Amino acid sequence: MSIRHGLLALLERGPMYGYQLRAAFEETTGATWPLNIGQVYTTLARLERDGLVHPLPESDGGQRPYEITAGGRAELAVWFATPISRTDRPRDELSIKLALALTTPGIDVRAVVQTQRSATMLTLQEYTRLKVRDGEPDGLAWRLVLDALIFQAEAEVRWLDHCESSLVRHRPAAPRPVTAAPDRQAQPDRQAQPDRQEAPR
Amino acid sequence: MSALLELRDVHRTHGRGDTAVHALRGVTLSVAPGELVAVMGPSGSGKSTLLNLAGGLDRPTTGEVRVAGQDLGALSQRQLAAVRRRLVGYVFQDLNLLPSLTAAENVALPLELDGQGVRRARRAALVALSEVDLTTYAGRFPDEMSGGQQQRVAIARALVGERRLVLADEPTGALDSETGESVLRLLRSRVDSGAAGVLVTHEARHAAWADRVVFLRDGSIVDTSGPLPDVEQLLRIHT
């Protein structure tokens, strides 16, 4: 998630100071990505350095609001206009974990798949329960974020189902038929006679 | 609260010897009133067999199926038919509404088959239709309604009168995602008001409306997710 662009989008509504930005961000995304105030100020400092926001005079309460600059608006427009590339997202730890589980001796890959699926399913149930609770139409921004999480979790469960089916069909000994092994040792050149190799015993 | 539906070590085998097909192998599952359990699994995993056994449409080879405390295996065909009519409601993917009957007549039909008078059955049907927000459609024929509305009629029919167990087999099958969701929302609310439900689906997003999800493979439950923490606790987790 680009906090940088998130803050620019919020500042497009009007000048805000740090705590206001954090509250608005969490309100919009349903607190799916909690921000700490330190991240907000660090990001604001970088945006100011890059000329994308501009600090305004401090308020009576000592809060310094920021406003978006013309450069910031241009940056934001580009962000909205550009699709997010899948390769820009963090590496998927789960797929790496499963690939490693398959090649690590002594690991029950089906158990890894099933444990993950139960956990992802539970998360999916939790999101759905929150959605049932927050069914009111005025929370559309939050509902769309929740729907995104729901569809992503669903995709993961489907993929895990697919992994489980593939594991069931997978025969680890397949590359070398056991019955052919002694013959192969006796006749190193028999690959030239595949018909005989396939003959029923 | 005691379970409304209970399967205890249920096996179901079709055929014998070498050609025997083991559709279910030792399934134990209970569903309490107010609880929705989803059953997921690939084709041939035993989902439909489980649903048929739960609804008394089929009998287990060994093991026990109880609905509202009654052992279905100990009942005569006539008694079993009475349990199906009075306690169990079905929602299928293909809606099975009779095209020549109005929505209210479709919903009243199981009660009339059970020997209730026409007027009494109609009153109960109108209550059931109002619970699914279709009062104004009571006089319409199925082909005068959308797919989503027809599925809501099917849910009203499944839960009309005293029925307390609803068995749904891919109830959102032919519906788009928004309409399918409204059907699940309705099923959820009917279960929340005291029915027990079993939802068979191959879509995780739909199964997620349940309190518990069981995964079947080759006739056995391979894992289960749930039950969920309460909503207040969930909000603390996710906010």
Side-chain angles (χ1 to χ4, degrees), chain B residues 184-200:
Chain B
L184 291 165
R185 196 178 282 274
L186 179 64
L187 185 62
R188 179 74 250 179
S189 81
R190 298 296 291 124
V191 167
D192 285 342
S193 59
V198 180
L199 166 67
V200 163

Side-chain angles (χ1 to χ4, degrees), chain A residues 30-31 110 114-115 117-118 121-122 124-133 135 143 150-151 154 157 161 164-165 168, chain B residues 40 181 185 188 203-205 207-213 215 217 222-226 228-229 231-232 234-235 238-239:
Chain A
R110 278 179 78 171
Q114 286 166 4
T115 303
R117 186 175 55 191
S118 290
M121 191 69 225
L122 194 63
L124 183 53
Q125 287 171 267
E126 290 174 359
Y127 291 151
T128 306
R129 183 59 57 88
L130 290 175
K131 184 170 163 170
V132 174
R133 184 181 183 276
R143 196 154 64 85
I150 285 171
F151 277 92
E154 180 194 32
V157 172
D161 275 342
E164 192 188 40
S165 298
V168 168
Chain B
M40 288 190 75
E181 193 168 284
R185 196 178 282 274
R188 179 74 250 179
E203 292 205 43
R205 195 160 35 87
W209 287 75
D211 301 287
R212 272 187 298 145
V213 182
F215 294 87
R217 179 171 282 283
V222 291
D223 52 344
T224 303
S225 87
L228 291 175
V231 169
E232 292 311 315
L234 278 181
L235 284 170
H238 289 285
T239 59

Side-chain angles (χ1 to χ4, degrees), chain B residues 74-90:
Chain B
L75 302 180
S76 67
Q77 281 297 345
R78 174 187 285 246
Q79 289 169 321
L80 197 56
V83 167
R84 285 200 299 262
R85 283 197 309 271
R86 288 176 195 155
L87 292 176
V88 186
Y90 299 89

Side-chain angles (χ1 to χ4, degrees), chain A residues 45-110:
Chain A
R46 287 187 192 139
L47 288 169
E48 185 184 349
R49 177 198 67 197
D50 297 342
L52 303 177
V53 301
H54 173 71
L56 296 174
E58 277 187 15
S59 66
D60 294 343
Q63 306 281 11
R64 183 181 293 284
Y66 286 79
E67 68 178 359
I68 191 167
T69 63
R73 285 203 179 87
E75 168 91 12
L76 187 61
V78 169
W79 183 61
F80 277 123
T82 313
I84 293 172
S85 163
R86 286 203 72 87
T87 55
D88 289 348
R89 300 179 198 179
R91 285 187 194 132
D92 180 9
E93 184 182 345
L94 177 57
S95 57
I96 293 167
K97 183 178 178 181
L98 280 191
L100 289 172
L102 262 177
T103 50
T104 305
I107 298 293
D108 180 351
V109 190
R110 278 179 78 171

Side-chain angles (χ1 to χ4, degrees), chain B residues 103-105 107-108 111 119-139 156 160:
Chain B
E105 288 164 350
V107 176
L111 299 180
R119 288 176 65 178
R120 194 168 156 211
R122 185 176 167 79
R123 269 203 304 278
L126 291 176
V127 170
L129 282 172
S130 76
E131 283 166 357
V132 300
D133 228 5
L134 279 180
T135 307
T136 53
Y137 292 81
V160 69

Side-chain angles (χ1 to χ4, degrees), chain A residues 146-160:
Chain A
L146 205 47
D147 276 337
L149 295 170
I150 285 171
F151 277 92
Q152 284 158 15
E154 180 194 32
E156 187 167 295
V157 172
R158 286 181 67 181
W159 173 66
L160 289 165

